[in-house]
Amino acid sequence: MGRRVAAPEDRTAMDVDISPLIENWQFILTGLGFTLSLSGLSIVLGVGIGLVCGVMRTYGGSLLDTAIGLYVDLLRSIPVLAILVWTYFAFPLVIGESLTPFSGGVLALGVHLGAYVTEVIRAGLTSIRPGQMRAALALGMSPLQAIRTIILPQALIRMLPPLGSLIVIAVKDSAIASVIAVPELLRQSQVLAGKTFRPFEIYTAAMLIYFLICYPTARTIDQIYRRFAPLGAS
Amino acid sequence: MITRAATVERPRIGSGAAPILRFEGVCKRYGPLEALAGVTFQVNRGEVVCLIGPSGSGKSTLLRCANALESIDGGRVILDGVDVHDRRTDARKLRRRMGMVFQNFELFPHLTVLRNVAVGPTTVLGMSPPKAAERAMELLRKVGLAEKASQHPAALSGGQQQRVAIARALAMQPDVMLFDEPTSALDPETIGEVLSVMKRLADEGMTMVVVTHEMDFAKRVGSWIVVFDHGKVVEQGPPRQVFEEPTVQRTRDFLSHLGWHGESLAASDLLVHSPSNTP
C-alpha cells in the first residue's frame, strides 16, 4: 500500500520461512523420539549405576569406596564428548564387538551420568542421621532392608533437586550423540538445515523443543520436591 | 543404720528364675576413652531396671551394646542364655526380642504413624500388611494415638512422637524394652504423657531397662536402680536403698547435685510414701 517493501535478497537472515519444518515434521519427530529414548535410557542406566554405586560406596567398606571413588573421579575428569567418542570408536576394539551409535550413546552417557548420580546418592545417604539406621537395625532389619525401606527413600527425597538438575543435563547432553551420528534431534536438525538451507528456522525450532522438554521436567521435579520435602526431614 | 536394719527388703523381682538379660564385665573403649570399664549387673523378668548417673557415664553406650548396635571390647552380654556378641549369634534375631526407644525418637519421617509401627512386623517378620496394620492400630490405641495413625511424624508433638516410638518397639512383641533417655528431648509438659505410658507398660509386667534422669520415675516405677559413673557401676539396689540410704559417696554426690536429698525425697508428695521415713 505505497509502503516500501525491503528487497528479500538484502535480508535473507530475517526472512523467516517455516515451511521446511512443516514439510519435514516427521523427520524432526524421529529426532525427538531418539532424543527422548536416548536420554531416557541413559538416565535409567545412570540412575541405576548411581544407586548401586552410591549405596556400595557409602556402606560397602573402604575397598569398594576406593574402587568406586576411582570410577567417579575418572569419569568426572573427562569431557563427556571424549567419553562418547571413546566408547563408540575405541571400546569396540576392547570387547571385539561393534556398537550401534544408539547403544554406544546410551552406554557412554549413562556411565558418565552414573558417576555424578553416585555422588549425589552418597551425599543423600550420609546426610540421613545415623540414629535412623540404628532405629531400623534395632527393629531387627538387615542393613539392606534398612537402606531400602528407611534410609534410601528419605535420601532420594532430599536429593530430588540435584537429581533433577542431573536429569535435565542428561537430556541436553544427549545432543552430543549427534557426533556419532545418532539420529537424535540435533543431528536431524543438522541434516535438515543442510538440505533446506534454512538453519535459522530449524536450529531455532530445535532449541525450542529442547526447552519445551527440559523446562517442564525441571519444574515438575521441583514441584514433586516441594510436596515431599517434609517427609525427608528426619 | 538401725532403721535400715529394721526395714525388711522385699526380694528382688524375678530373682528366683534365670535373668533375662545379664551384663558380665562389659568393656567398651572409644580410642583412649574407656566408655565402659567392666559393667556387671542383671535384669530379671518383669523388672524395671533404671540406669542413672551423670551424663557420659556410659549408660546409653551400655544400652547400645545390649542389642549389639555397638560391639564390645570385653565381657559378655547374655540375653536369655544367648551370648549377644558371639560371632555365631544372629544379632538380628536377638534385636527383635529387644525393643528400643531413643532419646530423639527416630521415627521414620517418610512413613505415616501407622506405617512407622507396622514397618517392623512387615519387613522383619514378613507379616501381611493388613495384619501388621491391625496390630499397629491396636498399639496406637494403647498409647492413645489412634487418631494420628494417618499423619506423618512431623505433625506430632515430641511426646506424641515418643509414644509412637514406644508403639513401634512394642510391635515386635519384645521380651525386653530398652529406653535410652526417652524424655530428655521433650518439653516439660509432654514428659508426663510418655512416663505414664511407660508406667502402664511396667504395670503390665514388661521387662524394662531405662536410662533416665527422671529420678522421680526411677524411684516410683523402678524396681532396681543401677548407678553409673565413669563407665562403672558404683552402686545398685532397690530404689529405697539407692535414693534414701546410698552406700556410696559417689551416689550421694550425684543425687545431691540433682537436688535430691534424703529429706526432700521424703517430703516430696510425688513419691510413694515410704514407711521407714515415717516419724
Side-chain angles (χ1 to χ4, degrees):
Chain A
M1 310 277 272
R3 260 196 286 161
R4 256 168 25 100
V5 179
E9 55 269 26
D10 292 343
R11 303 281 181 90
T12 39
M14 295 316 293
D15 169 29
V16 175
D17 176 10
I18 60 166
S19 62
L21 287 169
I22 295 166
E23 282 158 21
N24 296 290
W25 66 272
Q26 280 166 310
F27 194 71
I28 301 273
L29 199 66
T30 317
L32 176 61
F34 270 98
T35 288
L36 291 178
S37 54
L38 176 63
S39 47
L41 286 175
S42 64
I43 287 165
V44 168
L45 181 63
V47 171
I49 291 173
L51 276 174
V52 173
C53 289
V55 169
M56 289 201 303
R57 192 169 186 195
T58 312
Y59 299 106
S62 60
L63 199 72
L64 276 172
D65 184 22
T66 313
I68 295 166
L70 198 68
Y71 154 68
V72 168
D73 290 341
L74 197 69
L75 271 285
R76 291 200 304 185
S77 315
I78 302 171
V80 60
L81 181 57
I83 294 169
L84 185 80
V85 170
W86 189 89
T87 306
Y88 183 59
F89 294 107
F91 185 57
L93 303 175
V94 180
I95 58 169
E97 197 91 43
S98 65
L99 291 171
T100 64
F102 185 77
S103 56
V106 169
L107 189 64
L109 295 175
V111 169
H112 176 254
L113 178 65
Y116 287 86
V117 177
T118 298
E119 285 308 271
V120 167
I121 297 288
R122 183 172 75 130
L125 291 171
T126 46
S127 79
I128 306 294
R129 65 166 189 237
Q132 289 282 301
M133 178 58 103
R134 273 200 288 273
L137 293 180
L139 282 173
M141 288 188 194
S142 69
L144 211 61
Q145 286 173 329
I147 292 166
R148 207 181 55 226
T149 61
I150 305 302
I151 311 295
L152 198 53
Q154 295 180 52
L156 285 177
I157 292 169
R158 287 189 190 185
M159 290 300 107
L160 264 179
L163 278 178
S165 336
L166 286 181
I167 284 170
V168 169
I169 289 171
V171 174
K172 296 189 292 181
D173 277 0
S174 70
I176 295 170
S178 59
V179 301
I180 57 168
V182 178
E184 46 68 63
L185 184 55
L186 190 66
R187 173 75 183 178
Q188 298 292 81
S189 306
Q190 284 170 336
V191 171
L192 204 57
K195 264 202 288 205
T196 62
F197 302 107
R198 284 286 170 185
F200 177 78
E201 292 80 354
I202 289 163
Y203 287 132
T204 305
M207 272 173 43
L208 198 64
I209 293 172
Y210 279 117
F211 177 78
L212 288 177
I213 302 169
C214 292
Y215 184 72
T217 305
R219 299 308 305 162
T220 306
I221 292 170
D222 199 43
Q223 285 301 314
I224 295 173
Y225 175 66
R226 274 159 204 260
R227 178 142 183 251
F228 288 104
L231 305 186
S234 61
Chain B
M1 291 317 274
I2 295 159
T3 30
R4 192 174 163 206
T7 311
V8 182
E9 290 287 358
R10 282 172 301 158
R12 196 175 164 183
I13 292 171
S15 52
I20 179 79
L21 190 58
R22 200 164 77 237
F23 300 90
E24 296 176 357
V26 174
C27 296
K28 174 75 187 175
R29 12 176 86 261
Y30 295 106
L33 175 77
E34 199 163 33
L36 296 171
V39 171
T40 302
F41 71 94
Q42 69 179 50
V43 179
N44 297 331
R45 276 180 205 276
E47 269 188 325
V48 178
V49 174
C50 292
L51 313 186
I52 64 171
S55 297
S57 58
K59 313 176 299 287
S60 297
T61 304
L62 186 85
L63 228 50
R64 285 188 203 163
C65 292
N67 65 356
L69 285 177
E70 294 272 3
S71 61
I72 59 175
D73 300 314
R76 295 198 302 169
V77 180
I78 310 288
L79 176 79
D80 202 13
V82 182
D83 186 340
V84 173
H85 291 272
D86 190 288
R87 264 196 303 170
R88 286 158 297 183
T89 305
D90 184 355
R92 286 171 55 202
K93 278 203 174 129
L94 289 185
R95 287 189 190 128
R96 291 180 206 170
R97 302 181 54 189
M98 291 183 267
M100 190 153 189
V101 175
F102 300 86
Q103 183 177 349
N104 293 314
F105 332 131
E106 299 299 352
L107 291 181
F108 307 132
H110 60 303
L111 303 178
T112 62
V113 164
L114 187 79
R115 286 266 292 135
N116 261 279
V117 182
V119 73
T122 51
T123 313
V124 179
L125 305 177
M127 190 183 278
S128 73
K131 196 154 172 253
E134 200 179 304
R135 180 188 282 188
M137 211 53 207
E138 195 182 304
L139 287 164
L140 286 175
R141 268 195 289 276
K142 187 185 167 108
V143 299
L145 289 169
E147 79 279 8
K148 302 283 186 190
S150 59
Q151 307 224 19
H152 282 88
L156 273 58
S157 73
Q160 291 171 333
Q161 290 193 44
Q162 195 60 298
R163 281 146 69 197
V164 174
I166 293 172
R168 177 178 68 180
L170 289 173
M172 298 299 291
Q173 299 184 323
D175 297 329
V176 186
M177 284 284 282
L178 310 173
F179 293 85
D180 186 7
E181 301 198 27
T183 58
S184 296
L186 294 176
D187 296 331
E189 59 265 34
T190 62
I191 289 177
E193 64 190 54
V194 172
L195 291 180
S196 78
V197 166
M198 289 169 64
K199 170 141 193 346
R200 208 164 347 126
L201 212 53
D203 291 343
E204 289 168 10
M206 174 60 79
T207 309
M208 294 161 57
V209 184
V210 186
V211 172
T212 187
H213 292 293
E214 293 290 326
M215 294 305 139
D216 189 37
F217 177 85
K219 174 107 204 300
R220 280 200 295 167
V221 183
S223 49
W224 194 259
I225 308 295
V226 181
V227 187
F228 274 70
D229 191 37
H230 289 100
K232 290 194 182 78
V233 173
V234 291
E235 175 163 12
Q236 57 177 313
R240 185 177 305 163
Q241 178 205 312
V242 171
F243 284 109
E244 288 170 26
E245 298 155 30
T247 56
V248 181
Q249 185 58 40
R250 199 60 199 90
T251 309
R252 281 194 284 271
D253 291 347
F254 172 65
L255 291 174
S256 71
H257 181 71
L258 289 175
W260 287 84
H261 307 280
E263 317 86 71
S264 64
L265 264 179
S268 168
D269 53 2
L270 285 167
L271 297 172
V272 179
H273 203 62
S274 89
S276 63
N277 275 343
T278 319

